[in-house]
Amino acid sequence: MALTKVTSNVLNDDAVTTSKIVNANVTSSKLAAASVTSTKVGTEFTTATALTPAATIDVSYTAAQVFTLTPNANTTLNITNPVIGVTKAIVVTGAGGSYTVGFTVGGSAGTFNKISGDYSDTAAAKNFIQITCVGATEFWYTISQIA
């Protein structure tokens, strides 16, 4: 018995379903232009999460896009699961206690390059921290407040 090549014109429209496609065969070249929307990207790009105040707080790059915090002590934000090229936003509301905010990565010092701005712990002051991962343990960040 001779084998016949299967071509698209002999397949029923509903013959190829998602369950029949090997994951490795779904590549970016197979995606239609502009087909990836915010509903299709991970929660690390579309959610906000409140951080629980503590002296050291783990901030997972894969957990959310925006993090919020009102500190109750001097605080070290410990970056975990960093992703090179990704920027996160951390909104820290001042507590009025002269607290400070610093950074570590994976529990170690890392390199944190401040571009501009200073943290204000004035009561109710909103500090917008944008932090970008540029290497496995290197970050650039800015701090700004509402004008």
Side-chain angles (χ1 to χ4, degrees):
M1 175 186 239
L3 295 177
T4 302
K5 183 177 178 182
V6 176
T7 59
S8 61
N9 63 338
V10 297
L11 291 173
N12 291 334
D13 288 342
D14 62 352
V16 179
T17 61
T18 303
S19 64
K20 294 180 182 174
I21 300 172
V22 176
N23 285 342
N25 291 336
V26 179
T27 62
S28 61
S29 65
K30 305 279 191 293
L31 296 173
S35 66
V36 178
T37 64
S38 61
T39 59
K40 297 294 182 187
V41 296
T43 57
E44 68 265 30
F45 298 111
T46 60
T47 60
T49 189
L51 299 171
T52 302
T56 300
I57 303 168
D58 286 344
V59 179
S60 174
Y61 251 54
T62 58
Q65 181 62 33
V66 177
F67 300 89
T68 60
L69 171 68
T70 300
N72 62 5
N74 292 336
T75 301
T76 300
L77 299 172
N78 181 47
I79 306 298
T80 62
N81 306 310
V83 180
I84 294 171
V86 173
T87 300
K88 297 297 179 176
I90 306 168
V91 179
V92 183
T93 302
S98 299
Y99 300 134
T100 61
V101 172
F103 302 98
T104 57
V105 58
S108 299
T111 301
F112 291 88
N113 303 299
K114 182 170 79 168
I115 299 168
S116 64
D118 292 308
Y119 174 73
S120 171
D121 197 51
T122 301
K126 298 281 187 178
N127 296 272
F128 184 66
I129 302 171
Q130 291 177 292
I131 185 164
T132 302
C133 179
V134 298
T137 60
E138 184 177 1
F139 300 82
W140 289 48
Y141 71 99
T142 62
I143 303 174
S144 54
Q145 290 84 26
I146 298 169

